[in-house]
């Protein structure tokens, strides 16, 4: 252990004070023991021993203060002080050239912060708002957790941030607080920056607890990519969450169906008006009027489609109307 002169003097000073304290404690014990003795000679011997210890303690204390005050100057007169090696560490000022790393302030121009744009509510969605209640500014949504299913308390089961196809429904679970009944809230689902689904409606839950937003799409529409869900209260953004879908989406299957069309053509109708003597004979008209076709059978919407049109044999040809005029006899 290397100690300089100043440290050594201070160490000796405190050690002498400690020794003087020990001597005083011993003297006090001897005084007490002498007070309990009845024999004069033994009592006097103990008292003289105690006073001797007190005297020695006083000498030790005086010597300690003398050493503390004069030992260091006297030592420097005998031993010339040499340059202490402790000055060389001040060369660590060169290490303070580590201020150059403080030039890392240039990276602190974290322009990334400038690109963390707060999500905004699209105008086309805000126009669908039906609530007339002003949202509570203290209302909050927690960070979103994603899962394929939820518990009865709307907590995620096996929450994850990566899902593999095939997928039908993804749930975004969250906790909330300070919500007001009737407040408009919105959840928007994006895939690679493109809006694929959203829901917006008045809040009908409690003021605090757990809630969720779910997105159900055909399996072939869950394409691989990065998804983001943004939560709004009114038009104010509150929380977001992201997840990833991997694996190719299943290919949709097409089932052909047959469409049967049945066309019915009724027979022509004929109308005859009798002639009354002495009156004008009205025109007798024979008219054939086709009825509108009737279509039976379901129509398939997916391709390919096969159409079978059975038609009753031959449709009668309509004859032009024959008009007979009569002469009035007087």
């Amino acid at each position: 252990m290397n100690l300089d002169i100043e440290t050594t003097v201070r160490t000796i000073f405190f050690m002498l004070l400690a020794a003087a304290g020990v001597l005083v404690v011993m003297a006090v014990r001897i005084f007490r023991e002498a007070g309990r003795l009845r024999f004069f000679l033994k009592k006097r011997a103990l008292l003289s021993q105690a006073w001797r210890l007190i005297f020695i303690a006083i000498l030790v204390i005086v010597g300690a203060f003398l050493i503390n005050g004069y030992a260091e100057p006297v030592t420097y007169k005998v031993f010339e002080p040499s340059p202490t090696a402790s000055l060389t560490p001040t060369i660590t000022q060169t290490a303070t050239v580590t201020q150059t790393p403080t030039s890392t302030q240039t990276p602190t121009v974290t322009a990334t912060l400038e690109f963390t744009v707060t999500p905004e509510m699209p105008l086309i969605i805000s126009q669908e708002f039906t609530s007339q209640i002003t949202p509570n500014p203290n209302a909050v949504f927690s960070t979103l957790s994603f899962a394929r299913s939820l518990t009865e308390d709307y907590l995620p089961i096996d929450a994850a941030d990566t899902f593999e196809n095939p997928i039908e429904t993804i749930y975004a679970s969250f906790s909330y607080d300070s919500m007001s009944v009737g407040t408009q809230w919105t959840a928007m689902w994006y895939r690679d920056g493109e809006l694929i689904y959203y829901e917006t409606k008045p809040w009908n839950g409690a003021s605090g607890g757990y809630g969720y937003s779910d997105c159900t799409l055909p399996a072939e529409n869950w394409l691989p990519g990065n998804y983001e869900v943004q939560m709004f209260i009114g038009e104010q953004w509150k929380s977001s969450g992201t997840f990833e879908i991997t694996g190719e989406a299943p290919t949709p299957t097409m089932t052909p169906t047959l469409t049967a069309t049945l066309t019915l053509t009724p027979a022509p109708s004929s109308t005859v008006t009798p002639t009354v003597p002495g009156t004008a004979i009205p025109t007798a008209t024979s008219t054939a009027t086709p009825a509108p076709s009737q279509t039976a059978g379901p129509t398939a919407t997916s391709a390919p489609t096969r159409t079978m049109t059975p038609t009753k044999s031959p449709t009668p040809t309509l004859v032009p109307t024959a008009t007979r005029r009569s002469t009035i006899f007087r």
Side-chain angles (χ1 to χ4, degrees), residues 29-312:
R29 289 181 179 178
I30 292 174
F31 277 124
R32 291 178 180 177
E33 185 178 354
R36 291 192 295 267
L37 292 177
R38 297 180 180 181
F39 299 100
F40 176 75
L41 294 178
K42 291 185 177 180
K43 183 175 182 179
R44 185 173 65 179
L46 289 176
L47 289 175
S48 61
Q49 181 180 359
W51 283 112
R52 191 179 306 112
L53 292 175
I54 294 293
F55 179 73
I56 294 173
I58 293 174
L59 291 179
V60 171
I61 293 173
V62 172
F65 280 97
L66 291 176
I67 290 174
N68 186 56
Y70 299 100
E72 187 174 354
V74 172
T75 303
Y76 286 148
K77 289 181 179 180
V78 177
F79 302 99
E80 294 183 0
S82 58
T84 58
S86 60
L87 295 176
T88 54
T90 57
I91 299 175
T92 54
Q93 291 178 354
T94 56
T96 57
V97 179
T98 55
Q99 291 177 355
T100 53
T102 58
S103 60
T104 55
Q105 291 177 354
T106 52
T108 57
V109 180
T110 52
T112 53
L113 296 177
E114 297 180 0
F115 293 100
T116 54
V117 181
T118 302
E120 295 183 357
M121 170 69 64
L123 180 61
I124 191 173
I125 297 179
S126 62
Q127 289 177 345
E128 298 183 14
F129 286 3
T130 58
S131 174
Q132 301 296 327
I133 297 178
T134 303
N136 183 359
N138 297 323
V140 292
F141 283 160
S142 70
T143 304
L144 304 181
S145 298
F146 299 97
R148 294 176 183 260
S149 59
L150 300 177
T151 64
E152 294 181 355
D153 298 325
Y154 305 145
L155 296 176
I157 299 176
D158 297 331
D161 54 9
T162 302
F163 301 92
E164 186 174 357
N165 272 312
I167 298 172
E168 292 185 358
T169 302
I170 294 293
Y171 294 88
S173 175
F174 57 89
S175 61
Y176 60 91
D177 191 22
S178 302
M179 286 293 292
S180 301
V181 176
T183 301
Q184 192 81 23
W185 72 284
T186 306
M188 297 192 298
W189 295 66
Y190 291 88
R191 179 181 63 240
D192 295 330
E194 179 183 358
L195 183 63
I196 60 172
Y197 173 78
Y198 73 91
E199 60 176 334
T200 179
K201 54 189 174 182
W203 184 262
N204 60 355
S207 61
Y210 292 91
Y212 71 93
S213 172
D214 62 312
C215 179
T216 301
L217 298 175
E220 61 269 17
N221 289 351
W222 287 106
L223 302 179
N226 297 315
Y227 289 73
E228 180 182 10
V229 180
Q230 299 176 359
M231 305 295 296
F232 290 81
I233 300 178
E235 295 187 355
Q236 184 178 8
W237 170 78
K238 289 297 182 179
S239 180
S240 293
T242 59
F243 64 94
E244 182 182 3
I245 291 182
T246 60
E248 294 298 328
T251 304
T253 58
M254 301 175 62
T255 304
T257 58
L258 300 178
T259 300
T261 303
L262 180 61
T263 303
L264 300 177
T265 305
S269 62
S270 176
T271 303
V272 178
T273 304
T275 303
V276 179
T279 59
I281 299 175
T283 302
T285 304
S286 177
T287 307
T289 306
S293 62
Q294 298 179 355
T295 303
T299 302
T301 57
S302 60
T305 303
R306 297 178 182 176
T307 304
M308 299 176 61
T309 308
T311 306
K312 283 190 175 183

